[in-house]
Amino acid sequence: MINMRIAKENVISWKWIFALVPIILFSFSNRHSINYLEEKHKVTANIWDFILSTLNDPYLMVYYIFPLIVFISTVYINRTFDYTKLIRLGSYKNWIFTKIKQLFLMDLYFICLFFGSILLATINTPLSMEWSELAKINEQSNAVLYTLQFNFSNPFVAMVLQIALFLLTLITVQFVICILYAIYKKQLVLHLLNILLFVLGIFSFKIFPASIPPFLVIPNYLLLYHGVERFNSTIMPFVSMILILGITTLIANNIDKNRSIVRQFLTKNYSIIIYSLLCLLGIWFNVERYANGEFSIGDIFTGTFFGTTNEMFSLLSFAYYVVVFVGFVYFVQLLLQRYLSEMSFYTMIRYRSMNKWFLSWFPKILKSIIILLGSLFAITISIALFNGIPLTLSDNWFQMIYQFMVNGFLQLLFYVLLVIIVSLFTQDVFKSFIALLVLTIFMLPGFKLNNFIPVGLNSMGYLMENVSIYSISLTLVGYIVIEIIMLLILINKKDYTL
């Protein structure tokens, strides 16, 4: 039944045999390299050495196999698209999932042919279900086998996971191809995607620096050993690709809905999306920067939200602090602008007093502060765990959580109240945000004034100085009390102008 459907849809072709010739030649060339290592180290390789080294070869997979299958998928989707079939299926959603099933069968057939080509080069090699002595040799020319045997107890498991990761990546890319074709109906768009993936694969393999976040590196999703090494985790390559596949599946499920709604959502929330991505990239960058050292999760968390202190300053830490915390206050400023613009005599009649009007929306801001801090904490810990960093409690774990959650809450509350006070006093929300940006100058070296100006006091770097985090709390509470008094005076003015 499956074979008849494949034949009917022309999913596979005898012409694929010609595509196997380079794979066969490469497999025999790889066998020659392994034989050289056998003679050099006086050890014996087994069948898994030949199979896994070929399946995980970056030049073969990134420069040939992956681009070839993606190109064939593109041609197949464009050639088999038919409006009569689309009408019979009833929606683009059904068309996409039908094509994905056919492409999945195509992927399986190609992998079977690929695997058969590799087996031709393993004739007369020992068969064993254990790692060979060759795989345990730690040298640059044997990095693939050594990395795999170090992370997996059995070569068969490594092979299955390699095929699963490659299939998962192929299906995800093919999902994207189908979605783009359903939206644009142009072959040119698909070919541009092919070129982009090919160029990105080359750049991420040979040109991108090692410091680049691993989720941007194409080989990490094609080669098991590459993903395990860069992510420092055996499950992170799968988790990342499953997340992308989940997003594409969600898009495919809603592709028949009015796309103007999606555009409206993106237009309305683009600033929040950009802010969230910057926060996420900053966390990921810092975790990657510290992942290869002897650092605990607490150390990495402190380094990520280091900020500035009286004695230590880093431009990168200062910039990330401004993005995360001052960026959050920017959204509060936008919310405040909306509330002030909607305020009128009818608002006062509805709430009967400025105090009740203020309390109708201010608790939402307090909740959003708690959500922000909790999310940053959970995401940082999760990314660190995914990168294989052990969850060990440091001696100052309570101080670390207190500084981030309690002093972080108090610091953001100070910023928010400051913005509200300046906005109400000047009747200009924009001036309040400018005032906060000006205050960030007191985070720079030479301007700290021994924390007299309460800016950046939630910086995690204070844990590394002889500064009491509880005295920081008292300082922030004192300033917040002053702000509350000023706010009460402002909102209870009898001559307040609406």
Side-chain angles (χ1 to χ4, degrees), residues 403 407 457 462 467-477:
Q403 172 69 3
N407 286 344
L457 297 185
Y462 283 108
V467 177
S468 171
I469 57 175
Y470 307 109
S471 66
I472 291 176
S473 300
L474 290 175
T475 301
L476 288 170
V477 168

Side-chain angles (χ1 to χ4, degrees), residues 74 180-181 184-194:
T74 300
L180 289 176
Y181 195 82
Y184 295 103
K185 315 290 190 309
K186 293 181 180 179
Q187 189 175 6
L188 176 62
V189 175
L190 305 190
H191 288 319
L192 289 176
L193 177 63
N194 290 345

Side-chain angles (χ1 to χ4, degrees), residues 394-430:
S394 56
D395 295 335
N396 66 336
W397 65 269
F398 177 79
Q399 287 82 358
M400 180 190 74
I401 295 176
Y402 183 92
Q403 172 69 3
F404 186 76
M405 298 300 295
V406 178
N407 286 344
F409 178 84
L410 293 174
Q411 183 69 80
L412 284 173
L413 180 58
F414 171 81
Y415 294 154
V416 168
L417 290 174
L418 177 67
V419 167
I420 294 173
I421 291 171
V422 177
S423 298
L424 292 175
F425 184 77
T426 63
Q427 294 290 290
D428 189 341
V429 178
F430 181 71

Side-chain angles (χ1 to χ4, degrees), residues 12-30:
I12 62 173
S13 171
W14 62 270
K15 297 177 184 178
W16 286 20
I17 297 175
F18 293 105
L20 299 179
V21 175
I23 300 174
I24 295 172
L25 294 176
F26 186 91
S27 299
F28 278 100
S29 174
N30 186 57

Side-chain angles (χ1 to χ4, degrees), residues 324-393:
V324 174
F325 297 105
V326 180
F328 170 80
V329 181
Y330 167 76
F331 293 107
V332 174
Q333 173 248 335
L334 294 180
L335 184 66
L336 182 62
Q337 187 175 31
R338 192 187 80 188
Y339 284 127
L340 288 177
S341 65
E342 294 175 351
M343 189 169 62
S344 64
F345 285 106
Y346 295 104
T347 306
M348 294 302 97
I349 293 173
R350 177 184 175 186
Y351 291 102
R352 298 189 178 184
S353 72
M354 286 289 292
N355 290 327
K356 290 183 179 180
W357 168 78
F358 178 79
L359 293 175
S360 69
W361 53 266
F362 187 70
K364 298 177 184 177
I365 296 178
L366 299 181
K367 290 179 183 178
S368 64
I369 293 175
I370 296 173
I371 292 172
L372 172 71
L373 295 174
S375 299
L376 291 173
F377 184 84
I379 291 172
T380 305
I381 299 300
S382 298
I383 293 177
L385 289 173
F386 280 136
N387 278 270
I389 301 170
L391 181 60
T392 55
L393 293 178

Side-chain angles (χ1 to χ4, degrees), residues 93 96-97 100 171-172 175-176 179 241-255:
K93 170 188 170 182
I96 289 173
F97 283 99
I100 287 298
I171 289 297
T172 303
F175 241 121
V176 174
I179 290 171
M241 192 50 59
I242 289 172
L243 180 61
I244 298 173
L245 180 60
I247 294 172
T248 55
T249 305
L250 182 64
I251 295 173
N253 277 314
N254 294 277
I255 197 166

Side-chain angles (χ1 to χ4, degrees), residues 68-81:
L68 175 64
I69 299 180
V70 172
F71 176 75
I72 292 174
S73 302
T74 300
V75 173
Y76 172 74
I77 290 170
N78 182 70
R79 178 169 52 83
T80 59
F81 181 80

Side-chain angles (χ1 to χ4, degrees), residues 138-154:
N138 184 13
E139 66 175 50
Q140 184 61 35
S141 60
N142 196 45
V144 172
L145 294 175
Y146 180 79
T147 301
L148 292 177
Q149 71 84 26
F150 183 81
N151 289 278
F152 302 99
S153 60
N154 189 286

